[in-house]
Amino acid sequence: MKRVLVANRGAVARRVIRALRTLGIESVAVYSEADRDLPYLSEADVALPIGPAPASQSYLNRDTLLRVARECGADALHPGYGFLSENADFAEAVEQAGMVFVGPSPRWIRMLGHKTQARDAMRALGMPMAPSSAVLGCDLEAVRQAAETLGYPVLIKPATGGGGIGMIPLACPQDVDTEWGRARLIAERSFGGSELYLEKLLRDPRHVEFQFLADRHGQLRCLYERDCSTQRRHQKVLEEAPAPGLERAALQDMAARLEAMLSGIGYDVIGTVEMLYTPETGFSFLEINTRLQVEHAVTESVTGVDIVAAQLRLAAGERMADVLPLVPPLSGHAIEARVYAEDPVRFLPSPGVLQEFAPPAMAGVRIETGYATGCRVSSHYDPMLAKVIASAQTRRQALDLLKAALAQFRVAGVKTNIPFVLRLLDDPEFRAGRVSTGMVARMLEESRATAHAA
């Protein structure tokens, strides 16, 4: 690779540009009209416009991205995460245009990006998983029958896409009439497809994911796990590594099983297997994300591996023995907070101009952001402002460091979720490592009940 087009925006675009610089590869940034003043554009070797603010006319416009990539002489394209990163047709079009798609081969994206197909494939390999339905259409009676078969409560999930978007719980048959149509609209708007299925809803599971790197020659490595259980409405808020409170032997056994399954089918470049865990059921397969994860920096912090640089080298055809000869041992603990431009009480997006944007500069704290003072946070995109990653020798030290960093993070002009995250970091259950996907909802409900009583 000599020149790579970064087909994304914000923090991930800046992160990929930084990795390209370390590898001595030219970077080409692209930007919509809404993003033309973002600071990382000047860090790229070339920055090119791709259209109006709406993502459908810029970052999701496949024809424009391919045209710009060809015209600027790019020999590879990095999709980042979100947008077109898990679009198999786009990945295939990139390859047909004579460029490297910096991600798994299109066949893996196609097979594993569709959630029910991925479940069928992994079930055939012996993967444990919670019960689920096939893809369901507009027949609400069929939806109700499938839910009755699984047993309420169930979870509506888009068959394509990810990031917790469009996942809606159903507690009873009466919910189907309103929630099924709402889920279809969300899936169509977010992922360009309205296919949905049902999955048995586990009560308060842990959300644990395993990070993989692989070459195109049959070698694959697992870089341990991350715990992403601290979620609000299925959206991750805090991610950490290693997973607290789980037996290392059980985690190693699951990682080894996944490693054997994925290497056995020839999976390549990068991916994350997401699992749910309860003491009663053990691990259950959730999905495979065929891309770089938002929370990759957590794993980088406890392994010392530059995952983005490795992804680029592996996609270019280098062998694992040259990129990552051995998996390094886990070192210390890392935790990441996602800082959003949103109301910390109602959790509604808070777009606007950043009159002040001053991330903390502290030892052991890493900041990933695409913004600076004076930038506008557009309503057209995800409202994430930054990722704050704290690393220390112990979990308690990492939590305290993250808390101190967030307390020093100065933002004016938009509201942020920092007060909410600070409450999470002080929660006794969270600090004790007793995390689950239902923890945040319980905490918010307790706060509402206390406020009502007062």
Side-chain angles (χ1 to χ4, degrees), residues 84-158:
L84 294 169
S85 62
E86 293 183 282
N87 187 301
D89 291 340
F90 180 65
E92 203 164 61
V94 170
E95 292 190 349
Q96 289 173 352
M99 294 176 282
V100 173
F101 181 80
V102 185
S105 299
R107 62 176 179 139
W108 299 125
I109 300 174
R110 182 167 285 112
M111 185 182 88
L112 299 172
H114 192 282
K115 307 309 179 188
T116 57
Q117 292 177 12
R119 290 175 67 84
D120 290 343
M122 298 308 286
R123 185 184 290 111
L125 293 173
M127 176 66 65
M129 59 186 65
S132 64
S133 73
V135 169
L136 299 164
C138 298
D139 185 345
L140 297 185
E141 185 55 36
V143 174
R144 275 188 282 269
Q145 290 177 3
E148 293 284 356
T149 299
L150 293 172
Y152 288 98
V154 295
L155 189 65
I156 304 173
K157 299 184 71 174

Side-chain angles (χ1 to χ4, degrees), residues 108-345:
W108 299 125
I109 300 174
R110 182 167 285 112
M111 185 182 88
L112 299 172
H114 192 282
K115 307 309 179 188
T116 57
Q117 292 177 12
R119 290 175 67 84
D120 290 343
M122 298 308 286
R123 185 184 290 111
L125 293 173
M127 176 66 65
M129 59 186 65
S132 64
S133 73
V135 169
L136 299 164
C138 298
D139 185 345
L140 297 185
E141 185 55 36
V143 174
R144 275 188 282 269
Q145 290 177 3
E148 293 284 356
T149 299
L150 293 172
Y152 288 98
V154 295
L155 189 65
I156 304 173
K157 299 184 71 174
T160 57
I165 299 170
M167 293 166 55
I168 300 175
L170 293 178
C172 61
Q174 290 73 29
D175 293 344
V176 172
D177 290 342
T178 56
E179 303 297 8
W180 192 258
R182 184 162 74 93
R184 285 176 64 87
L185 287 173
I186 294 172
E188 180 66 42
R189 184 174 67 244
S190 301
F191 310 120
S194 58
E195 289 187 318
L196 304 173
Y197 71 102
L198 296 176
E199 185 176 283
K200 178 65 178 175
L201 183 61
L202 298 178
R203 292 292 189 185
D204 289 341
R206 298 277 295 270
H207 185 135
V208 181
E209 61 187 32
F210 295 83
Q211 174 72 64
F212 289 88
L213 290 171
D215 64 19
R216 299 194 190 276
H217 310 283
Q219 295 299 307
L220 183 142
R221 301 274 191 275
C222 179
L223 288 178
Y224 307 105
E225 82 288 344
R226 296 182 288 260
D227 189 290
C228 306
S229 302
T230 310
Q231 304 175 7
R232 189 188 68 81
R233 296 180 181 173
H234 308 291
Q235 297 285 316
K236 299 168 184 174
V237 181
L238 295 168
E239 300 107 345
E240 56 185 308
L246 293 181
E247 292 183 4
R248 178 52 43 191
L251 291 164
Q252 290 173 336
D253 178 67
M254 192 70 249
R257 291 176 63 188
L258 294 173
E259 202 170 62
M261 290 178 193
L262 293 181
S263 61
I265 62 174
Y267 187 85
D268 58 18
V269 182
I270 194 168
T272 301
V273 179
E274 302 204 353
M275 311 284 286
L276 297 179
Y277 174 87
T278 69
E280 298 77 23
T281 63
F283 286 102
S284 298
F285 175 77
L286 188 60
E287 63 185 24
I288 296 181
N289 289 311
T290 55
R291 55 170 167 79
L292 181 71
Q293 292 280 97
V294 175
E295 57 272 21
H296 70 275
V298 172
T299 297
E300 291 183 328
S301 297
V302 294
T303 62
V305 176
D306 185 328
I307 290 176
V308 182
Q311 177 189 13
L312 286 156
R313 294 176 63 187
L314 294 166
E318 291 193 47
R319 293 185 176 274
M320 183 64 75
D322 298 320
V323 176
L324 189 66
L326 296 172
V327 175
L330 280 168
S331 177
H333 197 94
I335 181 166
E336 172 182 287
R338 301 188 186 195
V339 176
Y340 287 97
E342 66 179 12
D343 185 299
V345 177

